[in-house]
Amino acid sequence: SQQGEEDPQALSIQEGENATMNCSYKTSINNLQWYRQNSGRGLVHLILIRSNEREKHSGRLRVTLDTSKKSSSLLITASRAADTASYFCATDEVGSTLGRLYFGRGTQLTVWP
Amino acid sequence: SQTIHQWPATLVQPVGSPLSLECTVEGTSNPNLYWYRQAAGRGLQLLFYSVGIGQISSEVPQNLSASRPQDRQFILSSKKLLLSDSGFYLCAWRPGTARGEPQHFGDGTRLSIL
């Protein structure tokens, strides 16, 4: 098994701009999940996309999944200063046990007012 | 609604001292429970997970142990802390019977070893 890897490691943008983060993984998955972590806090689940889905939306979030390339992207539109946080992708791998997730190292997003 | 509580929020301990971190979940039954450690600027490393009372699986050999004395209580322990045990410890839960469900995290414990 292999953790997802996010790219870029850090992203700095102005309010109102869109932020795109990418995640690559190496094994077959049941689903891929994106989480957000504010500094010093726990992770908050944002969105889950299943292996048979290609795109999913939730408010200002748009997630895509390309299982042939083993990659996913998270797009945050019209970013706000409050979106400043670390964003992690996590994979639920085929054959893994008991809801185990494999997390990447995250993308640190900074949104400047 | 379901909630998860972790305590303490921060802890400073000397090398060689014991450790006990507690995590409890409310509003659900028979959850899957997880302990993670997060080093600075790094992703999450799964330490232990549990599918039921007294059932503990360890992901990596280490100086720590876990116990689940009650359905919704998960405890992380050590008899003698090492400097390398410093980090941010996160507890998480997920419905035990559902597939493809996200995990829900507590607010974590910042552990500093002196």
Side-chain angles (χ1 to χ4, degrees):
Chain A
S1 61
Q2 179 67 44
Q3 293 180 339
E5 290 294 332
E6 291 91 344
D7 172 63
Q9 290 187 334
L11 181 60
S12 186
I13 60 175
Q14 294 290 131
E15 265 192 330
E17 294 180 340
N18 295 341
T20 299
M21 290 159 268
N22 303 296
C23 171
S24 60
Y25 57 93
K26 294 188 177 182
T27 63
S28 297
I29 61 172
N30 295 312
N31 63 72
L32 185 145
Q33 303 175 27
W34 285 92
Y35 290 79
R36 166 194 169 125
Q37 183 182 33
N38 286 359
S39 180
R41 302 297 297 274
L43 278 70
V44 175
H45 176 256
L46 294 176
I47 197 164
L48 181 154
I49 186 166
R50 303 186 192 283
S51 60
N52 61 352
E53 297 176 311
R54 292 296 167 259
E55 187 171 313
K56 205 161 182 180
H57 298 255
S58 176
R60 293 184 296 113
L61 304 180
R62 172 178 171 255
V63 169
T64 62
L65 179 64
D66 186 335
T67 52
S68 66
K69 296 181 179 178
K70 291 185 166 57
S71 67
S72 173
S73 67
L74 171 67
L75 169 67
I76 304 174
T77 60
S79 63
R80 306 165 182 169
D83 294 328
T84 294
S86 292
Y87 292 83
F88 295 87
C89 68
T91 52
D92 179 351
E93 297 183 348
V94 172
S96 72
T97 56
L98 307 167
R100 192 204 194 289
L101 295 178
Y102 295 84
F103 285 85
R105 296 187 179 189
T107 293
Q108 173 61 52
L109 173 66
T110 302
V111 182
W112 299 100
Chain B
S1 64
Q2 302 90 358
T3 56
I4 179 169
H5 303 280
Q6 271 189 257
W7 67 91
T10 59
L11 191 59
V12 180
Q13 292 284 104
V15 169
S17 64
L19 173 73
S20 181
L21 302 181
E22 191 161 339
C23 171
T24 59
V25 180
E26 296 177 356
T28 188
S29 297
N30 196 32
N32 288 354
L33 296 171
Y34 309 85
W35 276 113
Y36 291 89
R37 177 168 57 205
Q38 185 179 29
R42 303 290 296 273
L44 276 68
Q45 180 187 33
L46 180 63
L47 302 176
F48 300 95
Y49 62 93
S50 171
V51 298
I53 296 174
Q55 299 180 54
I56 308 294
S57 297
S58 174
E59 281 290 301
V60 294
Q62 58 204 307
N63 185 43
L64 301 169
S65 62
S67 63
R68 185 170 176 174
Q70 300 180 42
D71 181 44
R72 290 169 289 179
Q73 184 184 30
F74 207 20
I75 297 172
L76 185 68
S77 304
S78 174
K79 292 182 179 178
K80 283 187 176 182
L81 286 167
L82 306 172
L83 283 174
S84 58
D85 291 324
S86 291
F88 191 49
Y89 289 82
L90 289 158
C91 181
W93 76 273
R94 199 202 72 150
T97 56
R99 283 205 60 84
E101 289 290 326
Q103 293 182 13
H104 305 277
F105 286 80
D107 277 339
T109 295
R110 176 77 56 192
L111 176 63
S112 299
I113 310 299
L114 303 179

